[in-house]
Amino acid sequence: MKIIIKTLFFLFSALIFSQENCFIYPEKSPERKACELCDKAITYQQGSKESQLIFDEAIATAPNFAWSYYQKAVPFLKRGFLYEGLEILNNAVELKPLEYLCYRAYWYWQYQNHNLCIKDLETYYALPKAYLQFTPGGEKDMRLILGLAYAKQNNYKKAIKTIEDCIATYKTEDDIGLSDYHTLAILYIKIKNYNKAIETMNMQFTVNKDIPDSYYYLGLAYKGKLNFKEAKIQFNKALLKFQEDNYYSNPNAGFKAYKIDVETEINTLNSL
Amino acid sequence: MIKTNTFQNILILITVFAFFTACNQEEKQQQKYQNQIGDTPYNFNLDTKNFKLCDSLNTLHKRAYVKYKGGNKALKKELVENYKLQSQYKTYNGYFIIRFVVNCKDEAGRYRMEVLDENFNLANAPKELQKHILNLFKTLKNWQHPFYENKHYDGYKFITIKITNGQIQLV
């Protein structure tokens, strides 16, 4: 139930992020007109000629209205036209860095350009009015993405600090994301702090027990402590979780485990 | 009478000119905007004639529904194993975004490629490397077409390859 409520909350957050309130612009102003055009464009299928024509009309109407560029860029980015998509999105970032830096950072993350991702997110979080931002799917605080990007550059110390600091800002346990502790636990494994990894992964299970990878990484932590019996128990739990229909796929995991990874570990332990 | 004829001729000329200008603009617009971003029509110079879409008017633009047998792990394994690192690529860094279509018979075709540098600017990768990467994709045979909302589709897919110091990585 907790997971459903959180998922709905995150989806709602994502929806809010994707909408613009046209009424904040003066009536008959170019921005108001462009905003209304964008509202019209998004009623058409994303990436369709009809929508693109209207976005271009919106851009021509108010060249300094960032939302038109953002909306126009999305289908390009989603369909593998990265160069074209970024060219358009850069206009939105330039006009409204506070709103669109994180979105561009997300695409840099998606394309595993960790340097550019870190650069954008560090710029964003240095802004005086930086606020809580999530991945477009709403499942992860962007500070987790920043932490993961550091980790991808093997800067685990900075990665751990970023995510620990992020979690520390949450007012209650209910604000914890569905994979925050999971992500942190993996980073402890990377620096071979297995006790902290086990402790953190057990905290993950109080929030969300449905990521198969959690059991896999917990198994790795026990394996690191040479507790092969417990490691095997966790690997088998991971295998069972992978067989369930509705396990949580943990988008933007950064360090993803696959069923074959689990099977390999079980086979290795069986052969000891 | 002569004046009227001249006026009529000018009017006809303006109408004809306006008509052709409108047609030309329409043509330009057609070139700039596809029905869907990413639609890839047959190109005589790039595509094989044998590759056909099952329903060219209804190709799905949902890349997650085009899958590879054995998943990403299998795809990665095949790409890495078939990639031949040449000494001249060892200093190369950049991205290759390969777009293609998988038809309802699980055949792939209409390959297109975008080559970008480390900062996502358009780049000129060595021609041999570009050819090699494209060929790697053309030899992949285990694509699975989309089955979406109880219907079989042709579907667009794109895969990104990151090259760091000549080493290949599936993004």
Side-chain angles (χ1 to χ4, degrees), chain A residues 118-129:
Chain A
I118 289 169
K119 199 176 156 198
D120 268 6
L121 288 178
E122 284 182 344
T123 307
Y124 174 74
Y125 287 112
L127 294 173
K129 289 183 180 172

Side-chain angles (χ1 to χ4, degrees), chain A residues 135-242:
Chain A
T135 48
E139 77 286 339
K140 273 190 180 62
D141 188 312
M142 285 305 287
R143 288 173 292 180
L144 257 78
I145 298 297
L146 178 59
L148 282 166
Y150 288 134
K152 288 286 178 180
Q153 295 191 324
N154 299 322
N155 192 346
Y156 297 117
K157 200 177 158 191
K158 210 166 180 182
I160 288 171
K161 186 172 179 341
T162 303
I163 297 177
E164 280 178 342
D165 287 352
C166 169
I167 292 174
T169 62
Y170 296 143
K171 284 184 183 142
T172 68
E173 276 285 305
D174 288 340
D175 294 334
I176 300 281
L178 291 174
S179 62
D180 293 9
Y181 286 132
H182 166 94
T183 310
L184 187 57
I186 292 172
L187 300 183
Y188 287 131
I189 292 170
K190 296 282 180 191
I191 59 163
K192 297 189 168 52
N193 188 342
Y194 300 120
N195 287 332
K196 200 86 171 122
I198 292 166
E199 184 193 321
T200 311
M201 202 57 97
N202 283 322
M203 286 160 82
Q204 168 65 29
F205 295 137
T206 65
V207 180
N208 177 13
K209 296 176 185 172
D210 289 331
I211 310 175
D213 313 31
S214 301
Y215 302 94
Y216 168 76
Y217 280 106
L218 186 57
L220 285 187
Y222 280 115
K223 190 183 162 195
K225 280 170 67 83
L226 306 178
N227 185 345
F228 300 131
K229 190 182 165 195
E230 191 60 35
K232 206 169 160 185
I233 291 172
Q234 297 305 326
F235 291 140
N236 279 310
K237 280 187 187 175
L239 208 55
L240 284 174
K241 194 52 85 176
F242 268 119

Side-chain angles (χ1 to χ4, degrees), chain B residues 1-163:
Chain B
M1 187 67 179
I2 293 168
K3 267 188 181 173
T4 313
N5 276 345
T6 312
F7 180 71
Q8 274 177 346
N9 287 340
I10 290 169
L11 208 63
I12 289 166
L13 268 172
I14 290 171
T15 312
V16 170
F17 178 74
F19 174 75
F20 280 113
T21 308
C23 284
N24 196 27
Q25 274 173 354
E26 177 71 18
E27 197 179 313
K28 275 182 187 166
Q29 205 172 69
Q30 292 291 345
Q31 282 164 7
K32 191 179 170 194
Y33 299 94
Q34 290 161 320
N35 280 334
Q36 276 290 328
I37 289 168
D39 279 353
T40 313
Y42 170 75
N43 182 322
F44 176 79
N45 296 313
L46 301 171
D47 302 318
T48 52
K49 264 188 191 169
N50 300 336
F51 178 77
K52 299 253 189 283
L53 295 175
C54 303
D55 181 0
S56 61
L57 297 175
N58 205 11
T59 309
L60 208 64
H61 283 276
K62 290 184 185 292
R63 73 161 175 150
Y65 287 89
V66 177
K67 299 195 167 132
Y68 200 72
K69 200 177 166 189
N72 253 17
K73 275 255 170 188
L75 174 63
K76 189 178 170 182
K77 189 170 175 275
E78 215 170 313
L79 285 171
V80 171
E81 278 176 2
N82 294 331
Y83 177 70
K84 303 271 182 284
L85 176 63
Q86 305 285 329
S87 56
Q88 64 265 35
Y89 310 154
K90 279 185 181 166
T91 53
Y92 187 78
N93 294 303
Y95 294 80
F96 294 82
I97 302 171
I98 299 97
R99 285 179 287 109
F100 51 94
V101 196
V102 174
N103 70 13
C104 69
K105 295 173 191 163
D106 294 334
E107 300 159 337
R110 311 250 173 107
Y111 297 89
R112 302 289 184 271
M113 191 161 71
E114 189 162 280
V115 185
L116 304 174
D117 68 11
E118 292 162 285
N119 293 314
F120 296 137
N121 296 310
L122 291 175
N124 284 318
K127 286 277 172 259
E128 277 301 306
L129 180 58
Q130 292 194 37
K131 207 171 149 187
H132 181 46
I133 298 283
L134 203 55
N135 282 336
L136 281 182
F137 277 84
K138 287 181 178 176
T139 54
L140 295 171
K141 298 292 174 210
N142 294 319
W143 292 111
Q144 294 169 325
H145 69 273
F147 184 67
Y148 177 68
E149 292 181 346
N150 290 323
K151 218 178 141 192
H152 294 275
Y153 283 92
D154 306 313
Y156 286 101
K157 179 84 173 171
F158 74 90
I159 302 278
T160 307
I161 295 293
K162 184 179 178 182
I163 305 270

